[in-house]
Amino acid sequence: MTDVMTVTLTKDAPAAHWGNADVTFENNQSVIHLQGGDELRQIQQAARKLRNQGLSKLALEGELWDLHTQWALAQGFATAKSVPEISWTGDEETQQALTDRLASASFARHLINETPENLAPVKLAILAAHWLSEIGGDKVSYRIIEGAELLEDKWVGIHAVGRGSERPPAMLELDYNPLGEDAPVSVALVGKGITFDSGGYSIKASEGMLGMKCDMGGAATVTASLGLAMKQGLNKRVKLFLCCAENLISGHAYKLGDVLTYKNGVSVEVVNTDAEGRLVLADGLQAACETGAPLVIDAATLTGAAVMAVGTNYNAIFSPKSEVLAMAQAKASEVGERVWPLPLDPWHRDMCPSPYADTANSRPMKGGGAGGASNAAGFLWRFVSPEVNWLHMDLASAFADSPNSLWAAGGTSHGMLTITALLQD
């Protein structure tokens, strides 16, 4: 085989000697045979097989390739060790769209796959801010609040979760404003940026801790989404808030039984230091609502319960407003991503009771008990203004612990296109 493999799509069955193979090879060309059903899934699975053949460069040819089919192939062909090298096909607009998608997804994957030692909370904030500034130029401004400064601004959740580490926690406040100084904020994005999650004193087992470099997947996803939207010419004001911390154990770490009183007056008893994501997002959601944005979107690798509910091929979505869920589902469908709504009713806000505070941050049982993903969303709802259209995305599909038929091990960037589409709406 040559360094570059040509790949075409066909709906014809393979020659008899190939049996039921979905990928066949002849000379320096491979053919993906679509066999009905979910064609994008078939293409992504075929791309994984091509990558497993040791191929590193592809050139796409043929009439069946479009934006969505080429992107499905790129998703399956990516690995944690390298950015896919693919020669796109189609018109100039399609090829540019794919190039922009790949650059943004690769940025998110790089952050998610980075070692925890190399990605401290402040560094995560800096890398996100610099990348967006490179794209947006003087339309982007930002501020990084770190360490004790968080308490001056009353961001008690981020500070509490991150104070156990020698490397300070931080909040990134970033403003993308292509319209002028006094333009209203149209959308505010919030991302969970836990650069490593040991579980704190509610310590994780070793096997559960191994993949916790991915716990900043929400921050990476919303940053990549905004960057992609900017590349596409986004012409509305958007603010981004990344809630960055390391959840570690030390003599300075927060403890079970602590009570945090947030900026909005809500008091929270800590009953599980491994339910830290909702504690940092509470700060980010309040900051997002303070902007006056009518739409607030947060993304987080928040609960194992979401993974149990929807698996690793979907992201779970929550909102108290059915029209927001419908909009998110429609946008995800348009870009070939998968989301699924889980329940969120007013009583979910009270599913983590505490005798010492307004609420606890979880329930004192493994995984937070039944309905854990909805209970976590209910907790977050306490920090969202009533008038806001709010979408919470629990990123069950942001990371693959090991290679599978769709993804290489590591970050996936699944969810990026959905959020980008919501920004462009």
Side-chain angles (χ1 to χ4, degrees):
M1 295 183 181
T2 63
D3 287 342
V4 181
M5 173 65 70
T6 300
V7 186
T8 59
L9 283 179
T10 182
K11 295 187 178 182
D12 296 333
H17 66 274
W18 286 103
N20 293 322
D22 56 352
V23 183
T24 60
F25 299 89
E26 186 173 348
N27 298 324
N28 295 320
Q29 184 173 21
S30 62
V31 180
I32 299 174
H33 299 265
L34 301 177
Q35 299 173 2
D38 189 337
E39 293 185 350
L40 296 182
R41 185 180 179 88
Q42 291 177 52
I43 293 167
Q44 188 167 339
Q45 290 174 328
R48 291 287 300 128
K49 294 177 181 178
L50 292 171
R51 179 60 108 174
N52 289 336
Q53 292 290 323
L55 300 172
S56 60
K57 300 178 183 179
L58 302 180
L60 309 185
E61 293 183 356
E63 296 180 357
L64 294 184
W65 291 113
D66 60 18
L67 175 68
H68 302 299
T69 54
Q70 291 184 81
W71 183 243
L73 181 128
Q75 292 286 74
F77 201 63
T79 72
K81 294 182 179 180
S82 64
V83 176
E85 294 187 51
I86 302 173
S87 296
W88 313 113
T89 188
D91 59 30
E92 183 177 343
E93 182 179 355
T94 297
Q95 294 193 43
Q96 185 61 54
L98 289 162
T99 298
D100 291 342
R101 283 186 179 191
L102 184 57
S104 299
S106 297
F107 175 78
R109 285 194 179 106
H110 172 73
L111 289 181
I112 294 169
N113 295 333
E114 183 59 276
T115 67
E117 180 62 26
N118 289 340
L119 194 66
V122 172
K123 185 174 180 180
L124 171 59
I126 290 171
L127 289 174
H130 286 185
W131 184 70
L132 291 172
S133 295
E134 288 174 3
I135 299 169
D138 60 6
K139 298 173 183 177
V140 173
S141 59
Y142 65 90
R143 173 191 179 208
I144 297 174
I145 311 164
E146 63 178 276
E149 295 175 357
L150 290 162
L151 293 180
E152 296 175 12
D153 284 16
K154 299 183 179 180
W155 302 134
V156 299
I158 300 172
H159 182 270
V161 171
R163 75 186 192 209
S165 172
E166 294 181 355
R167 304 193 290 187
M171 177 190 277
L172 170 64
E173 297 180 349
L174 184 139
D175 186 2
Y176 170 67
N177 185 6
L179 302 176
E181 183 177 351
D182 297 324
V185 178
S186 296
V187 187
L189 300 174
V190 182
K192 174 185 171 185
I194 303 297
T195 55
F196 185 72
D197 181 18
S198 72
Y201 280 105
S202 304
I203 191 168
K204 294 179 182 289
S206 180
E207 62 271 17
M209 204 186 299
L210 179 60
M212 283 299 103
K213 62 184 177 182
C214 81
D215 217 15
M216 36 60 64
T221 300
V222 293
T223 301
S225 299
L226 178 55
L228 178 57
M230 290 161 59
K231 289 173 181 284
Q232 294 173 347
L234 181 67
N235 195 35
K236 60 176 67 171
R237 189 176 184 184
V238 175
K239 288 203 172 185
L240 172 77
F241 300 90
L242 302 188
C243 309
C244 309
E246 282 184 317
N247 186 22
L248 300 181
I249 297 172
S250 74
H252 302 289
Y254 77 128
K255 299 173 261 318
L256 284 81
D258 285 350
V259 173
L260 308 177
T261 301
Y262 279 84
K263 191 173 184 179
N264 65 352
V266 173
S267 59
V268 177
E269 181 192 6
V270 178
V271 302
N272 185 346
T273 60
D274 196 22
E276 85 298 329
R278 64 200 74 181
L279 295 176
V280 302
L281 287 175
D283 286 335
L285 287 169
Q286 289 176 92
C289 290
E290 287 177 359
T291 68
L295 175 61
V296 171
I297 302 169
D298 78 80
T301 50
L302 199 64
T303 67
V307 178
M308 295 300 292
V310 302
T312 57
N313 293 324
Y314 282 80
N315 290 318
I317 56 172
F318 302 81
S319 180
K321 298 183 179 181
S322 59
E323 61 270 26
V324 174
L325 294 174
M327 177 176 62
Q329 286 180 288
K331 294 300 180 184
S333 179
E334 288 174 9
V335 296
E337 292 188 335
R338 294 176 173 87
V339 300
W340 197 259
L342 292 181
L344 181 59
D345 291 293
W347 47 264
H348 279 114
R349 290 178 290 193
D350 302 316
M351 288 302 289
C352 299
S354 166
Y356 305 104
D358 296 327
T359 184
N361 72 322
S362 184
R363 301 178 74 183
M365 59 188 70
K366 183 176 177 59
S374 294
N375 296 342
F379 175 91
L380 294 178
W381 194 358
R382 288 175 172 267
F383 301 92
V384 177
S385 300
E387 69 277 6
V388 167
N389 291 317
W390 167 53
L391 177 70
H392 165 52
M393 186 176 290
D394 198 329
L395 297 172
S397 186
F399 186 80
D401 286 313
S402 57
N404 58 52
S405 65
L406 288 173
W407 305 100
T412 66
S413 78
H414 189 220
M416 177 190 75
L417 296 184
T418 300
I419 297 174
T420 298
L422 288 166
L423 289 173
Q424 295 284 20
D425 189 51

